[in-house]
Amino acid sequence: MPCCPLLQAYVLVEAEGARLFVDAAKLPAEVREALQACNVSCAPYEEAEAAVRALREGGGKVLLDPGLCNFGLRSAAAAAAVLAPSPVTL
């Protein structure tokens, strides 16, 4: 398929902004600019688990939807996980 409008991503929303874990090369420049204007930074998709682990190690909590998160994120969050339905599920 030459063009697929879907992409794999995670988002980590914090009080001061958000991080979108995605292959930024797949985002058009205008999308990256719009995200940046909304205080959303992009990080490599592969860094999502490490970011969750860092939050846990820093004493933070991570809201995870048990019906939507994968084993890797759940394991990275460990006891810092707050399991509840996502407030942003489309």
Side-chain angles (χ1 to χ4, degrees), residues 17-38:
R19 279 182 280 171
L20 180 64
F21 297 91
V22 63
D23 179 355
K26 294 182 179 180
L27 299 177
E30 60 270 12
V31 171
R32 288 192 306 270
E33 291 168 9
L35 289 169
Q36 192 171 30
C38 294

Side-chain angles (χ1 to χ4, degrees), residues 9 16 19 25 34 40 45 50 67 84:
E16 59 278 347
R19 279 182 280 171
V40 178
Y45 178 81

